Amino acid sequence: MSQQTAEQTEFTVERLLLDLVAWIAERPRPYTDVLDAWRTSCPRLPVWEEAVDRGYVRRVAGGSNGAVIHVTPAGTTFLARHGRAA
């Protein structure tokens, strides 16, 4: 992959991370909904996996509805750093 392509991919992942974290910040989302909307098999756009790895979101055990995804303090800081409110 060329340097320019790598930079474009990183830019795309960052933008998508912002969208994902902002979407979850609106209200905690069921784990199944998040995976349905954000999981990808593309190794160049690992948005959900990247959000988890960076600690922007966390999975919290839920009741009868299953696990729920919440934004972490690191995720809130990430949004604020990019001018997006949590």
Side-chain angles (χ1 to χ4, degrees):
M1 182 182 318
S2 72
Q3 179 66 27
Q4 183 176 13
T5 303
E7 289 172 2
Q8 289 170 333
T9 299
E10 179 61 26
F11 177 78
T12 300
V13 169
E14 285 295 309
R15 304 312 311 168
L16 290 171
L17 276 169
L18 280 168
D19 289 344
L20 170 62
V21 176
W23 180 66
I24 296 170
E26 290 174 7
R27 68 178 187 280
R29 307 286 179 157
Y31 177 72
T32 55
D33 289 357
V34 174
L35 288 188
D36 284 345
W38 288 94
R39 183 182 288 181
T40 179
S41 60
C42 178
R44 293 186 183 165
L45 295 175
V47 179
W48 162 249
E49 294 84 356
E50 191 68 23
V52 171
D53 289 348
R54 293 186 189 190
Y56 294 161
V57 297
R58 65 186 162 105
R59 181 178 169 181
V60 177
S64 61
N65 294 331
V68 178
I69 307 302
H70 293 264
V71 172
T72 65
T76 301
T77 299
F78 173 68
L79 290 174
R81 195 170 57 236
H82 292 282
R84 302 209 46 200

